[in-house]
Amino acid sequence: MIIGGGLGGLFTGAILAKEGYKITVIEKNHVIGGGLQTFRRGGLVFETGMHILGGLRKGDSIYKICNYLGIMDKLNVRDADHDAMDTITYLSDGHSYNIPEGREQFTEYLISEFPHEEKGIRQYVDALYKLADEVDFFYLRTGSGTLWGHSEQFLWSADQLISYYVTDRKLRDLLGYMNPMYAGEEQHTPAYIHALINVLYIGGQSRFEGGSAKMAELLCEIILNAGGKLVLGESATHIHLDENHLVECVETNKGNHYSAQYYISSIHPQMLIKIVDEGAFKKSFVKRICEIPNTYSAFSLYLKFKPGTFPYINHTCYCQKDYGWIWKYGEYNPETWPQGFMYMTPAEVNQGPFANKMIVNCIMPFSVVKKWENTTVGRRGQEYEQWKKKHAERAIAMLEQLYPGFRDMVEDCWTASPLTIRDYYAQPDGSLYGVSRDCQNILASQVNVVTKVKNLFLTGQNVNLHGICGVPLTAVNTAEAVLGVNYVVNKINKYNDRYGKD
């Protein structure tokens, strides 16, 4: 039984279903998928979370997992531009950086922009790949998977790693541009997370055509075809333990009870603690989990364009007002917000030269909307609606600087705040990436897939690493807690060695 039908729950369920387990997935929403979900506004389909994909190029780890599960060739995925996987524009000097994919191309481009930093750039890129290589599960290699036995730099802070090799202020800021992909915080985010995310995307970015829900549907098919079932529109409200300290059943808000041999929680561990029988976990564990800070949230715009007015951009774009703010996204100043944001034009199937929509994500801490934390969707009041409108206008004003006449191209606009993320995903504080990893106290932020309740396991973005790469890899770890160490990794690699070649 899996509690939570998001990316982690579905991948874990699909892997176990492939091994003959009958899976029951309990999902509070009426639509499965978590961050894979899409929604419809103005006749358009918008993705809720899975906008940028890494690891899906042939031979990559997530490609191998999807290939093993038999879904890779059924996904509608397109490569982002190879010569500009990302564009970062600074309004202060009007300079745009078009970052190419590929280790060598990435390195040489940065050197062309900052020739005086050639030595540092080469050493920095080498350091990224060395740190990533220390993480066996990132490459689907068998190994211990622990944080110990690594190099000194592994648990440096990300900004410390950058500044160790680079002195140029602008280049330091540019090298942190992927910060919104992992909620980076100055002096706290571990260098290994910075390295893994950068190496993942430097290897090549992809995006879904027509939305991310297709992946959720394919994973569900695997579960259902193996005799499993989906329980939608029900949320787990109580996890009952028996006299042997094992989970006996899960009770839902509709009063139903579901039993299984094994139970896997894909929900936030802080939410799990609230619904499990008291005494399930040691007080020290409960205290630690409750005290782990969550990553920051976001304010998002979903824009519909007038036909034939805005060009389709086949890569992700970042806009920043000035250099020096990349590590300060978690701060909020009502007079200057936003200092920057990420925006993209999602691809349709048979995408033409013009975009019909855009998604804009502006980092925002939950504290900004805390005054409305006890409200529910559609009942937050007029003040809240005016607040959203004001903040949407600020982001659009920056886009107008990038693209003069931008407002006239927009036909409609919808917004989502940290409250939306909190309620939609059941994420405390509307956290984008779950619990925050802190190199200053790395033990406190570590969550294991195995718990003290022997038939209860964890999966999802709060374990190991978040995102399209980290969550499926964690699903492998969780499945192996049931099936045996290295069991799934060996099967994935053997399958791809045999069937993964042209």
Side-chain angles (χ1 to χ4, degrees):
M1 177 163 304
I2 295 176
I3 304 169
L7 184 68
L10 293 182
F11 262 99
T12 308
I15 293 169
L16 290 171
K18 190 173 175 65
E19 293 300 320
Y21 284 86
K22 291 185 177 180
I23 308 297
T24 299
V25 181
I26 299 176
E27 167 57 42
K28 76 177 187 69
N29 291 327
H30 291 280
V31 179
I32 204 78
L36 293 171
Q37 293 180 66
T38 57
F39 65 94
R40 186 175 290 273
R41 292 288 186 278
L44 300 178
V45 174
F46 289 95
E47 293 161 341
T48 61
M50 207 55 60
H51 310 303
I52 308 170
L53 311 177
L56 281 175
R57 300 289 179 85
K58 194 172 183 64
D60 290 345
S61 294
I62 308 308
Y63 176 97
K64 288 181 178 180
I65 295 174
C66 291
N67 196 39
Y68 169 73
L69 291 173
I71 67 172
M72 191 63 228
D73 60 348
K74 300 175 184 177
L75 292 170
N76 297 321
V77 175
R78 69 184 288 154
D79 291 352
D81 294 330
H82 302 295
D83 58 349
M85 64 174 185
D86 292 314
T87 294
I88 306 96
T89 300
Y90 291 87
L91 297 178
S92 58
D93 61 7
H95 194 89
S96 291
Y97 300 90
N98 297 309
I99 310 295
E101 69 175 45
R103 178 175 179 173
E104 188 60 29
Q105 295 89 333
F106 178 85
T107 304
E108 294 303 323
Y109 174 78
L110 291 176
I111 291 171
S112 71
E113 291 285 337
F114 300 91
H116 56 289
E117 289 278 13
E118 178 177 359
K119 179 180 179 181
I121 290 170
R122 294 193 185 279
Q123 291 177 335
Y124 164 76
V125 175
D126 286 345
L128 288 182
Y129 280 83
K130 286 179 182 177
L131 291 179
D133 192 57
E134 293 183 37
V135 183
D136 288 322
F137 89 100
F138 185 70
Y139 294 101
L140 285 174
R141 296 192 304 246
T142 57
S144 65
T146 67
L147 286 170
W148 315 121
H150 289 289
S151 65
E152 178 187 356
Q153 290 185 336
F154 196 78
L155 290 179
W156 281 8
S157 67
D159 56 294
Q160 180 184 3
L161 181 76
I162 293 172
S163 61
Y164 181 78
Y165 295 106
V166 170
T167 58
D168 188 286
R169 181 179 69 89
K170 289 185 176 181
L171 179 56
R172 283 182 176 180
D173 198 82
L174 180 63
L175 293 177
Y177 84 88
M178 290 190 194
N179 189 324
M181 302 301 296
Y182 54 87
E185 289 188 54
E186 192 173 22
Q187 299 181 11
H188 292 284
T189 299
Y192 79 88
I193 289 181
H194 171 78
L196 290 174
I197 298 297
N198 276 267
V199 168
L200 175 71
Y201 289 114
I202 291 171
Q205 295 185 20
S206 307
R207 52 176 54 180
F208 288 115
E209 291 180 329
S212 52
K214 181 68 173 179
M215 176 175 273
E217 294 169 5
L218 293 171
L219 293 170
C220 287
E221 282 183 17
I222 297 172
I223 292 170
L224 295 174
N225 290 340
K229 64 179 181 180
L230 308 177
V231 179
L232 304 181
E234 291 191 42
S235 57
T237 56
H238 196 150
I239 298 175
H240 298 271
L241 304 187
D242 64 18
E243 64 276 7
N244 296 316
H245 201 70
L246 298 173
V247 177
E248 182 177 40
C249 68
V250 173
E251 182 178 352
T252 72
N253 61 324
K254 294 189 177 181
N256 295 320
H257 293 73
Y258 298 94
S259 298
Q261 182 182 5
Y262 298 105
Y263 299 80
I264 297 170
S265 172
S266 184
I267 64 176
H268 196 293
Q270 292 174 358
M271 305 297 289
L272 174 66
I273 285 171
K274 292 180 179 179
I275 64 174
V276 72
D277 273 351
E278 188 176 352
F281 306 117
K282 291 182 178 179
K283 290 182 179 179
S284 57
F285 175 80
V286 173
K287 183 175 185 293
R288 179 169 67 85
I289 292 299
C290 292
E291 290 179 350
I292 300 178
N294 290 299
T295 52
Y296 48 53
S297 191
F299 182 91
S300 300
L301 285 72
Y302 302 91
L303 305 173
K304 178 180 180 179
F305 290 122
K306 297 173 184 175
T309 58
F310 192 87
Y312 169 73
I313 303 172
N314 194 43
H315 59 262
T316 307
C317 301
Y318 299 80
C319 174
Q320 299 188 125
K321 287 182 178 177
D322 202 357
Y323 300 87
W325 284 92
I326 196 66
W327 297 104
K328 300 177 182 179
Y329 275 143
E331 302 175 8
Y332 173 84
N333 184 324
E335 303 302 321
T336 60
W337 183 95
Q339 286 296 333
F341 50 73
M342 177 174 65
Y343 65 98
M344 64 213 75
T345 54
E348 301 288 2
V349 177
N350 300 319
Q351 175 65 54
F354 289 97
N356 57 13
K357 59 191 173 186
M358 175 183 283
I359 299 174
V360 185
N361 286 332
C362 312
I363 298 304
M364 178 180 283
F366 186 79
S367 58
V368 181
V369 296
K370 194 170 179 61
K371 64 187 295 185
W372 297 292
E373 66 177 335
N374 295 319
T375 62
T376 56
V377 177
R379 296 182 175 87
R380 306 203 196 276
Q382 188 61 33
E383 182 187 8
Y384 174 74
E385 295 301 323
Q386 289 299 320
W387 174 87
K388 284 203 300 179
K389 185 176 180 180
K390 172 184 174 182
H391 283 69
E393 170 55 31
R394 289 194 175 182
I396 291 174
M398 286 180 65
L399 285 163
E400 182 77 24
Q401 288 182 260
L402 290 169
Y403 307 99
F406 183 82
R407 282 188 182 85
D408 293 334
M409 304 177 196
V410 177
E411 181 177 311
D412 216 336
C413 173
W414 301 272
T415 57
S417 81
L419 292 169
T420 317
I421 297 172
R422 180 199 65 177
D423 295 343
Y424 202 73
Y425 296 131
Q427 287 292 314
D429 301 330
S431 170
L432 281 180
Y433 308 119
V435 298
S436 178
R437 279 76 175 182
D438 189 348
C439 64
Q440 304 292 343
N441 190 8
I442 197 65
L443 276 177
S445 57
Q446 293 305 297
V447 181
N448 203 321
V449 299
V450 177
T451 76
K452 293 297 182 182
V453 181
K454 291 185 178 180
N455 65 340
L456 176 61
F457 306 93
L458 307 181
T459 196
Q461 70 172 358
N462 296 287
V463 185
N464 291 328
L465 191 67
H466 62 272
I468 187 64
C469 182
V471 173
L473 288 171
T474 297
V476 171
N477 293 158
T478 304
E480 288 188 340
V482 176
L483 298 166
V485 176
N486 296 328
Y487 179 89
V488 180
V489 168
N490 287 332
K491 277 208 162 186
I492 292 171
N493 287 324
K494 286 179 181 178
Y495 181 89
N496 280 275
D497 287 343
R498 185 173 182 181
Y499 301 108
K501 296 181 174 62
D502 292 329

